[in-house]
Amino acid sequence: MARKTAAFYDLDGTILHGSVVDHYLYFAKTDPSLPGRVRRLAETLVKAPYYKYIDYLDRLQFNHEFYASYAGLSEDRLAILGEALFEKVLRKKIYGGMLELLKRDRQAGHHQVLLTGALDFVAQPVARYLGIKKVVANRLEYEVNGLCTGVLRPPVMAGPEKANWMREYAHEHGYDLRWSVAYADDAADLPMLSMVGRPVAVNPDARLLATARSHGWPVIHIEVSKSWTRDAAREAIELGKEGARRVREETQRRGPVVARRTLGLLGDVASGVRTWARGNE
Amino acid sequence: MNAPLTPSRDKCVVTLDRSSAERVVHYGEGFLRERFPEGTRVIYPPPPLEALPDVKQAVRHALARPEGCDPLFALLKPGMKVTIGIDDISLPLPMMRTPDVRQEVLEVVVDLLHDYGVDDITIIVALSLHRRMTDAEIRRMVGPRIWREFAPDRLFNHDAEDRENMIHVGTTEADEKVVLSRWAVEADLCLYVNVNLVPMDGGHKSVGVGFCGYETLQAHHDPETIAKSKSFMDPAASELSRRIDRIGEIVQEHVNIFTIETTLNNRMYGKQLGFLAKNEDTWTGTDELAFKSLKWTLDKLPPKAKRAFLHKVPAEYGVTGVVAGRTEPVHEKTLEACWRQYCVPVQGQADILVSGIPYLCPYNANSIMNPLLVHCTALGYFYNMYRGKPLLRNGGVMIICHPLRDEWHPDHHPSYIEFFHRLLPETRDSHKLQRKYEKIFAEDPAYVQMYRYGNAYHGVHPFYMWYWGESGRLNTGKVICVGATNQRVAEILGWDTAVTIDEAIGKARSFLADPDASITLLHHPPILMTDVT
């Protein structure tokens, strides 16, 4: 009987450039209320070093703490924005080399599984685009009114939990993990990589690189696709030009109003920071 | 144009007596100095052939008076598309001092092409499934002028996994698929610039292997072919050559090939290290002092530093011949030049063959000589350095000297690590490995990715390294590694170990149940081949 094998892929940093923080920034940036938008962006900015630190220590704790930021966002909106996030941002960030690799994995007969700590509404469109049928991602909890509580529903896909899930899934479906393959970029995914006989480090961080070297695992360096950087630069320039044009026009037409709006915006920022400070207290 | 003189072989075979000096044996990135028993036969390489005084002139001469076809200029038409294939970093070993012979040939050829209105020129490093060469390595090989004119768009590495640019051109009568690079097939003229270091190189292997992919290599890079090749350094007795020639016939039907083959002498060491190729009984005081200094320095350095140093020392090879034209007649002349340089007549086979394993083989230029490559060098290359009869008798013992560290280059040889530590402990049977695992490794997406975009040997390459030793494994009774620092590595390879040469010889004689078993020491490199009668 032919051996059944699977290929497990981490998402952020492995299949595409970026991290779960980038996804949240997109949702924050598109918050309908200006104060809410500013508060969420400012909060993320201020907490960034802390997030970096706890992610280094414990991916599970990071997930719990970071996903609390989603509190108050509505389920419907997130589902719709998940699609928009993919179309507008993530699609361009997929590594070109990974597309080829995924195709070859499919040809090699591996059953493909996207196993990620990102949220389900973010991972689903990516998986659909890549032709990966099985997606396992983190899920948020919602209140009856459809607003997110900021709590993750178990099992929380991070570190050892990914490995547990792989073991059970392989057992249930008869996949031979000794000849299965897993791809990840971060030392937090070492348990996931250690579950299979053929782990691969993709653009690894220093800790994963050291482990991969000492175990003789293949290390793939996939550069951020040139088209993505070019597109991003072009987009940034266009946005800048558009913004400058609008400000110029607005200033010419209603100078004092612009000044008032600018002051109002600064007030909103201050209020957002105050809200965040109170919340932390 | 070939240098005519054949050097004398009088002093190539030396029998040691009680007063003979200790012999120097390669030991990875270092040397051992050992006293061998009385009666040991030591085989030294023949002295270097005289080098051509003006290589470019010889190239021009070869292009104007080719073998089996019109001169190159007569084959050119303005506006035609020309692809030039060149051998990769596996040749020559060590890398030769600059200008590399490929640079000299390319400069002449490109000038000629331009003179005749041919500007659509692409140069491809025909590396088959070897690792991609880095820009610095290619630049060193082709020289700054060619690099500036062609890199990177018209000078690049062959990519056997670029499926869109590999074309199935035909199938041989033995059902061997011939898949070649689009650049070779679609060119109006395909020139190949070869460096023929050993008789296994060149001929139909240049285009038929250099530009091919896995599907074509499968036809001859397999245990059965290697076992039937006695040896693969002797094309007339090599099943490998026969199969490659069969594929070459199909290649010739689809590719208009003009071959330029070059041969080198064996002046591997410059003046400073020249003593390493000399009979130790003839060493002067200066030689003695130089050796002691070299050994002392190398013994003190960590392996990484030793490697960095040794890989930077180029060989002083001189070009002994340039022949151009149609593949078969060109290669015949090239082979003659190879035999003239390397062959040493030897009377009688050996019961025990001793050989040091140096720091370098065709697959670790600027890299690590890992245990699988040590195996390939010993049982693949060194065992097969014969024409006619093997130097080691059937069932004899091969003693090699190497530290045999469990050390691998993770970017150059990633699939070797898995092959060695995962597959070999399960089985050393080549046929079983081929049946069960070769395809998995060959098609592994991560290894393919590392081959295409990194600098890794193809995923299937470690299998070839193992198959390469098939003939040696089948015909050798035992292999003993002297100075192995890692017992587990030796066990995986199925080898015995010994601390000293004396102990190894004792073990070998005991294994052969013959206290008088004859001993032969192959004192190489520089390369030598034996003609055993």
Side-chain angles (χ1 to χ4, degrees), chain A residues 23-39:
Chain A
H23 311 164
Y24 177 71
L25 285 175
Y26 180 79
F27 297 121
K29 208 170 69 179
T30 50
D31 192 304
S33 81
L34 186 61
R37 199 183 309 167
V38 173
R39 179 182 64 79

Side-chain angles (χ1 to χ4, degrees), chain A residues 3 97-98 100-101 104-105 107-108 110 178-179 183 197-198 200 213 215-216 218-222, chain B residues 161-163 410-411 414 417-418 422-423 436-437 440-441 443-450 452-453:
Chain A
R3 184 190 290 127
M98 277 312 278
E100 185 187 329
L101 195 138
R104 285 183 189 267
D105 269 338
Q107 285 165 349
H110 293 308
R178 288 171 309 158
W179 288 97
Y183 300 89
R198 317 194 76 197
V200 181
R213 292 292 194 223
H215 287 76
V219 176
I220 298 177
H221 297 283
I222 300 179
Chain B
E161 288 291 343
D162 180 3
R163 290 176 187 173
D411 295 322
I417 307 172
E418 187 179 3
R422 188 170 190 186
L423 305 191
K436 255 182 109 174
Y437 299 116
I440 297 175
F441 274 59
E443 293 175 356
D444 180 86
Y447 293 142
V448 169
Q449 191 86 9
M450 295 178 82
R452 294 197 67 190
Y453 304 111

Side-chain angles (χ1 to χ4, degrees), chain B residues 185-216:
Chain B
V185 179
E186 291 184 351
D188 298 314
L189 181 64
C190 179
L191 295 165
Y192 197 95
V193 180
N194 139 291
V195 184
N196 223 97
L197 190 68
V198 289
M200 193 184 77
D201 305 326
H204 285 299
K205 186 170 174 282
S206 293
V207 175
V209 171
F211 280 117
C212 84
Y214 172 59
E215 282 167 307
T216 306

Side-chain angles (χ1 to χ4, degrees), chain A residues 32-202:
Chain A
S33 81
L34 186 61
R37 199 183 309 167
V38 173
R39 179 182 64 79
R40 286 182 187 278
L41 289 174
E43 190 176 314
T44 312
L45 192 69
V46 171
K47 279 190 169 179
Y50 173 67
Y51 286 144
K52 184 90 185 156
Y53 177 64
I54 53 167
D55 185 36
Y56 180 79
L57 291 181
D58 183 353
R59 176 59 62 87
L60 186 64
Q61 193 190 347
F62 166 80
N63 278 358
H64 281 303
E65 298 211 17
F66 178 72
Y67 286 127
S69 316
Y70 280 78
L73 294 173
S74 87
E75 185 175 9
D76 296 346
R77 216 173 145 268
L78 286 175
I80 293 166
L81 284 177
E83 297 288 341
L85 168 68
F86 172 70
E87 288 301 333
K88 290 187 177 166
V89 182
L90 301 185
R91 191 172 177 156
K92 296 168 194 165
K93 291 189 171 188
I94 294 175
Y95 295 127
M98 277 312 278
L99 289 174
E100 185 187 329
L101 195 138
L102 284 157
K103 190 175 161 196
R104 285 183 189 267
D105 269 338
R106 227 176 344 262
Q107 285 165 349
H110 293 308
H111 166 67
Q112 296 177 305
V113 181
L114 182 61
L115 182 54
T116 172
L119 293 167
D120 49 359
F121 49 82
V122 173
Q124 288 287 1
V126 182
R128 201 166 53 238
Y129 175 75
L130 297 173
I132 301 176
K133 295 211 172 62
K134 181 73 183 169
V135 183
V136 184
N138 277 322
R139 295 161 306 158
L140 288 167
E141 188 184 79
Y142 298 95
E143 289 180 47
V144 189
N145 61 7
L147 292 182
C148 177
T149 61
V151 174
L152 287 172
R153 289 164 63 190
V156 177
M157 282 302 154
E161 194 54 53
K162 282 188 179 178
N164 284 338
W165 185 89
M166 286 164 70
R167 188 185 300 112
E168 284 169 20
Y169 185 75
H171 181 69
E172 200 177 316
H173 295 87
Y175 292 112
D176 184 350
L177 286 179
R178 288 171 309 158
W179 288 97
S180 291
V181 58
Y183 300 89
D185 69 307
D186 196 298
D189 283 319
L190 276 171
M192 169 186 175
L193 292 172
S194 306
M195 280 306 295
V196 295
R198 317 194 76 197
V200 181
V202 182

